[in-house]
Amino acid sequence: MIKIPYPLDSAEVAIASRRARVLWSERDAATIDATTKRITPRSRSNSVDSSYATTVVATGRREPNPLDHHVKCNGCNTNIVGPRYQCANCPSYPVSYSLCAECERSSFVIHPFPHVFLKFNRRVDHPVQTPHPLLPVIYEIPADGDFMDSIGNAAHYIHEIAFCDLCMTPIRGVWYRCGHCNSDLCDFHEQTHNEDHSFIVIKAKASLGVLQELWDFENPSSNPPLLQSVFNTRQ
């Protein structure tokens, strides 16, 4: 018996088969008693109550973790596993500014500008890279220039222009706008959206004038997607 825990290509199957034949015919070969002519299977030394010679061939290859982005967080300098947040106001070529979920909670403190981020829930196949900002500065800057004071109650801020497409209520706190289909979602319903889509994360009061230049809220279907597909088509 050959136990192969992972899919193998034809070349690897051939190698595994040759290895199994060698083990079966030599190390695990059955023996014939010269007197009784009975065939006695050779048991492995580490087998328990083994009555048949069993060969197990493994490749040691593991499926990659789709939540591992292989990108260092610019906040804590650790490898990002889980959601990755990429600044949409900083150039992302050749290297993007990225934060892990933990550091993103303090993005307004860690990142020295009132920038908006993109959210990728798993490792992308096609990175979003551009030598120019992907978006203009969306957040409304107070007249006194003290942006930090304006986000003190960001978690409770109600985005008057944004209604969640699923619960049909004004979005409170984090506003997730899909970069592919322009859906507007609250924090809860973002988790139910198409897993191949990525989001623009708006956490504080945004400038109405800037938003209206970016998107037509009266005719949402007329808005082109901000992002092209970042994931390969699933087979």
Side-chain angles (χ1 to χ4, degrees), residues 46 154 188 191 212 234:
N46 60 350
F188 176 79
Q191 303 172 48
Q212 289 177 331
R234 296 178 183 234

Side-chain angles (χ1 to χ4, degrees), residues 7 16 25 29 38 42 63 71 77 79 90 93 105 123 143 147 153 156 159 167-168 172 183 192 195-196 200 211:
S25 61
R38 295 181 60 184
R42 181 180 299 171
E63 292 295 325
V71 173
N77 200 38
N79 189 52
C90 288
Y93 181 83
R105 297 175 186 174
R123 185 178 63 254
F147 178 72
N153 296 314
H156 305 288
H159 302 271
C167 57
M168 300 304 295
R172 178 189 296 269
S183 295
T192 67
E195 62 180 10
D196 288 335
I200 304 162
L211 294 180

Side-chain angles (χ1 to χ4, degrees), residues 120 123-128 180 196-198 227-232:
F120 302 103
R123 185 178 63 254
V124 301
D125 297 307
H126 308 287
V128 176
H180 304 276
D196 288 335
H197 287 190
S198 306
L227 302 174
Q228 300 300 316
S229 178
V230 294
F231 299 111
N232 290 332

Side-chain angles (χ1 to χ4, degrees), residues 158-189:
I158 297 176
H159 302 271
E160 297 178 357
I161 198 173
F163 285 72
C164 176
D165 289 346
L166 294 182
C167 57
M168 300 304 295
T169 58
I171 296 175
R172 178 189 296 269
V174 182
W175 168 13
Y176 292 93
R177 184 167 180 86
C178 182
H180 304 276
C181 66
N182 293 302
S183 295
D184 296 311
L185 300 170
C186 63
D187 183 58
F188 176 79
H189 286 112

Side-chain angles (χ1 to χ4, degrees), residues 114-125:
H115 286 184
V116 70
F117 281 73
L118 304 175
K119 181 183 182 184
F120 302 103
N121 285 317
R122 68 179 194 276
R123 185 178 63 254
V124 301
D125 297 307

Side-chain angles (χ1 to χ4, degrees), residues 195-235:
E195 62 180 10
D196 288 335
H197 287 190
S198 306
F199 297 92
I200 304 162
V201 182
I202 304 174
K203 300 197 298 182
K205 184 177 182 179
S207 169
L208 179 59
V210 174
L211 294 180
Q212 289 177 331
E213 288 182 3
L214 282 173
W215 303 305
D216 184 348
F217 289 92
E218 297 297 327
N219 300 288
S221 60
S222 67
N223 296 310
L226 175 69
L227 302 174
Q228 300 300 316
S229 178
V230 294
F231 299 111
N232 290 332
T233 303
R234 296 178 183 234
Q235 300 297 327

Side-chain angles (χ1 to χ4, degrees), residues 73-75 85-90 97-118 139 147-148 151 154 174 201-204:
C73 172
N74 287 93
Y85 294 82
Q86 176 177 319
C87 183
N89 293 131
C90 288
Y97 184 95
S98 295
L99 294 176
C100 65
E102 184 66 26
C103 289
E104 190 276 336
R105 297 175 186 174
S106 305
S107 63
F108 292 129
V109 177
I110 295 174
H111 204 38
F113 305 103
H115 286 184
V116 70
F117 281 73
L118 304 175
Y139 294 122
F147 178 72
M148 294 306 297
I151 64 168
V174 182
V201 182
I202 304 174
K203 300 197 298 182

